[in-house]
Structures are given as C-alpha cells and as structure tokens.
Amino acid sequence: MAEEDSGQEKTEEPTGKRLDKAREEGQIPRSKELTTTALLMASALTLLLLGKSMSDQLQAMIKKNFSVSREDIFEYWTPVKYLGQSFQDAFWTVLPLFAVLFFAVSASTLMLGGFLFSTKAFAPKISRLDPIAGIKRMFSMKSLVELVKAIAKFLLVLSVALLILNGLKADIMSITNATLYAAMAKSVHIVLGLGLALAVTTILISVIDVPFQIYDHKKQLKMTMQQVKDELKDTEGKPEVKGKIRQLQREMAQSRMMGDVPDADVVITNPTHYSVALTYDPMKPGAPVVVAKGTDFIALKIREIATAHDVLMVEAPPLARAVYYTTEVRQEIPTELYNAVAQVLAYVYQLRRFKDRKGERPNALGDLDLPPDMIFDD
C-alpha cells in the first residue's frame, strides 16, 4: 500500500524500535477466532466433565427453595435468606466453569502477542472520530477480508451443525418417547456433544486466522526506506551532532595527551611538521610508549610544552614520521623501530648526563637504522 504522505511503498520489514513502539501503544497481533475456540473448547469439555455434578447441585438448590416449611413462609426474612443462600450456592456451583473460561481466555491471549497492559491503548484519539477515516476503514481491504472470514465461518459452522444434527436425527426423535428426566439428560448430552463438535470446527478457523493476523500485523508496521533512514538517524544521532561529539572527544583526547608531554623522555621532531613524544621506563617490561603526537599546529604545541618543561627534543624527520604513522597514542612502538628509538634514547641519556656534568658531550646523532617499509615521505 502506498504511503499517502510520501508516495513511497512500504517495502521494509519493521525494525525492533518500531515493533516496541507499536507494543507500547497496544498494537499487537490478536485473533478473536483463537479466543472463541478456546472459550468453546473449554466450556464444552468442562460441562462434559462437570456437567452432571453441576446439574445435581442446581437441582438440589431448586428443591431446597421449594421445600420451605410452613413456619418459615410467614417469616418476613425468609425470602432474603433463601435468595442469599441460592446466590451463594449458584456461585460455588458455576465457579469451576468460570475459572476454566478465565484460564482459557488468558492462555489464548498469551499464545498470540503475549501479556500486554498499555495505558496508551485507552487514551482517546480524535482521529477515531473522523467520519472520512471511518468510511475508509469500512470499505478497506481489511474490512473486506473480515467480511469474507465471517461468511466463511458461518457457512462452515452451519454445515457442520447440520451434518451432526442429521446424524443425530434418530436420537433427537427418541427424546419424545423418553421420560422427563431421561429426555432432559439426553438433550443436555446432545447439546454438549454438538457444542464440542462445533468447538473442534473452530480450530480450523483459528489455524487459518492466527497466521493471517501475524502477517497483517507485520504488514501494517512495514516501513518505507525513508522511515528506516529517519529512524536510523534518530537512533544514531544527526550528522552535525555526531560531528560535534567527535570534535569534543578529539579535544578531550588532545587535552589529556598534552598533559602527558611534560613526563616524556624525548620529543622527536620533523622538525616543523611532525612531533612525537616518547616515554620509556627501563625498570618495567615493554617498549617505549608514545604519549603524544601531532602535525602542524599540534606538533608546534607539543614542542612548546616540551620547551617549557625542559623535555629534550631531537630532530629525526624519518623516525618522527615513522612513529607518527605506525603508532597510536598510549601504544608501544612497533618492533621494527626498536633500534632507531634505542639510538635516540641512548643519545638523550648521554646528553642529559652531559648537562648534569656527569659525562662527556655525546657525538651528533647519526643516521638512524630504519627498515624500508618504515620510511614515509613528508
């Protein structure tokens, strides 16, 4: 069915969010035929099993009401007493039947759609008062299907009832020659048997109706491609909002990264475009770790912080680019860069000892040993 507002076909299966929303609004698959079948089967079976006992109790109640003593008849409270007792006896007599029927309705409801209590389903909707929409519903495909179902159900039940009654013609005619109690018992037996047979017939109707209700429910909840895209956008957030969140995350990450620069052992530079800050603790297992890295403005900021905190900087453009492109912040450098970084750290430690007047000035840092696949062009 085409969607009136957009003209798009509802070709997409309903998403989990749409199914949950429909359930919150009380829109779930239900089958009246399944409930009817459950009620008929439960009542017929219960009356077949407990019908005699219930009949005996009701007869006893009636006999008791017609066996009032002469003295009680002239008491003003006797009718109230007997009426109250009759209501109580009748209640306990039919209670098992009502309990079974309640269980049958509850079970049939749970079988299709499950338990649901939604206050939104009781909320008034102005759209339901729209006469044009009401006429459209009256002449919709769903109404036509319901009409066909009702006619088919009526014809099926009528055919089965006539077939059974035709088979019981002899038993029905024999009732005229039976005594009153025998005729009543036989009539009850015929009626209950006919009711059970008709209940079994409705099982066939339910077997057809239940899959149809599930299919129709999903069909009503189908979505257009645009609806799926809009829901995905609402779920994951609008692109501009997501972009702003990513920007804030980057800023927070950069702020944490800049806070680790003062604790770095060395900052390797390009010298202008790239800067990477490394830290290494020889007392702990593991390789040197990148605590900060960046290009252009961020690289300049790293160098400024390093200068302010007397962190040594070494110009090694190939190594700076290699570390920048192969290692993320808070990760250890790859094994292919161990030798080159070890050369830099050794130079830094010697230079630091020289500044502390504990050693000689180290020789200038020579060419570093970098594998060919670790050389990146600027």
Side-chain angles (χ1 to χ4, degrees), residues 74-227:
F74 292 98
E75 295 290 340
Y76 70 92
W77 51 266
T78 297
V80 177
K81 173 184 175 183
Y82 274 76
L83 182 61
Q85 186 63 43
S86 297
F87 273 120
Q88 182 177 347
D89 294 342
F91 172 78
W92 290 110
T93 299
V94 299
L95 180 62
L97 176 61
F98 288 159
V100 172
L101 294 181
F102 175 79
F103 175 79
V105 173
S106 301
S108 64
T109 302
L110 294 175
M111 287 173 61
L112 184 63
F115 175 77
L116 175 66
F117 179 78
S118 174
T119 55
K120 292 183 179 181
F122 299 101
K125 294 184 178 179
I126 304 299
S127 59
R128 294 176 180 174
L129 302 178
D130 186 357
I132 298 178
I135 294 174
K136 288 182 178 179
R137 285 194 298 268
M138 290 174 59
F139 295 97
S140 65
M141 181 59 66
K142 184 175 182 180
S143 298
L144 178 60
V145 171
E146 292 296 329
L147 177 61
V148 172
K149 280 171 47 183
I151 295 174
K153 180 173 63 174
F154 171 76
L155 293 177
L156 178 61
V157 172
L158 179 61
S159 301
V160 172
L162 293 176
L163 185 63
I164 295 175
L165 289 174
N166 185 62
L168 296 175
K169 185 186 302 182
D171 293 336
I172 295 174
M173 297 302 296
S174 64
I175 293 177
T176 58
N177 299 322
T179 60
L180 177 61
Y181 289 105
M184 291 178 61
K186 198 164 190 178
S187 299
V188 171
H189 181 75
I190 292 175
V191 171
L192 291 179
L194 180 61
L196 182 60
L198 295 179
V200 173
T201 304
T202 60
I203 294 178
L204 177 61
I205 301 174
S206 299
V207 169
I208 298 174
D209 185 64
V210 169
F212 171 77
Q213 293 298 335
I214 296 175
Y215 164 78
D216 186 64
H217 175 70
K218 289 186 176 180
K219 183 180 178 181
Q220 292 180 13
L221 296 181
K222 276 193 171 184
M223 308 169 66
T224 64
M225 183 63 70
Q226 186 61 42
Q227 287 176 324

Side-chain angles (χ1 to χ4, degrees), residues 2 31 39 71 91 102 122 152 162 224 241 244 253 260 279 300 349:
S31 174
L39 281 172
E71 292 78 9
F91 172 78
F102 175 79
F122 299 101
L162 293 176
T224 64
V241 176
K244 185 63 175 179
D260 292 334
T279 183
L300 177 61
Y349 293 151

Side-chain angles (χ1 to χ4, degrees), residues 4-17:
E4 294 180 3
D5 56 347
S6 65
Q8 296 185 20
E9 293 290 335
K10 293 184 177 182
T11 58
E12 305 303 312
E13 293 295 324
T15 61
K17 182 179 180 180

